[in-house]
Amino acid sequence: MTITLVDSNVLLDVATEDPAWGQWSAEALERAADQGPLAINPLVYAEVSIGFATIEELDDALPPETYVRVPLPYEAGFLAGKAFLTYRRRKGVRTAPLPDFYIGAHAAVGGYRLLTRDDKPYRSYFPTVSLLCP
């Protein structure tokens, strides 16, 4: 079974019951979970943490038995940097490669599918990553 790395926007949609994206994100999570393990990395964990007052609340929302915690490999850091360099050469305005470039690189290096609703940066810079998106 293929591991699906879950982007923070999907998790936050569900946690906040976002009126525009909450239902799509919840259903997409359920479909992905039916096909294999769901995973998060420290960057996704950090981004989602903004919506919670305590680490205990966050861990209740992202239980380790549901969301496998995968470490960030150094190879993903290298690939994120190269993708960011390409982005800047294409006149991108962001000044730091995190988090989207690192999340995309992590999915590429780990051979993970990526569940996200913001597919543009991943399609542009990580064409080998299988995306689950609207």
Side-chain angles (χ1 to χ4, degrees):
M1 288 195 273
T2 303
I3 294 174
T4 300
L5 185 62
V6 182
D7 200 356
S8 56
N9 54 35
V10 171
L11 297 169
L12 287 168
D13 289 344
V14 173
T16 63
E17 299 178 358
D18 183 270
W21 289 104
Q23 183 174 349
W24 180 88
S25 292
E27 291 171 359
L29 273 171
E30 190 174 315
R31 283 191 305 272
D34 286 344
Q35 298 172 4
L38 302 175
I40 59 172
N41 65 28
L43 292 171
V44 171
Y45 188 86
E47 287 184 322
V48 175
S49 75
I50 294 169
F52 296 87
T54 67
I55 195 168
E56 292 81 12
E57 290 176 24
L58 177 59
D59 285 339
D60 285 344
L62 300 175
E65 58 274 7
T66 303
Y67 299 96
V68 178
R69 270 89 164 133
V70 289
L72 291 167
Y74 281 87
E75 294 86 355
F78 181 83
L79 184 56
K82 294 303 178 193
F84 178 69
L85 182 60
T86 300
Y87 166 81
R88 293 294 292 172
R89 286 182 177 154
R90 292 178 181 170
K91 308 294 185 211
V93 295
R94 291 186 185 180
T95 58
L98 298 175
D100 290 343
F101 291 105
Y102 215 143
I103 291 168
H106 190 190
V109 168
Y112 306 138
R113 298 183 314 172
L114 181 61
L115 174 58
T116 184
R117 65 171 164 76
D118 182 18
D119 64 325
K120 187 177 179 184
Y122 304 115
R123 282 196 198 286
S124 298
Y125 299 98
F126 304 99
T128 63
V129 172
S130 176
L131 298 174
L132 305 174
C133 53

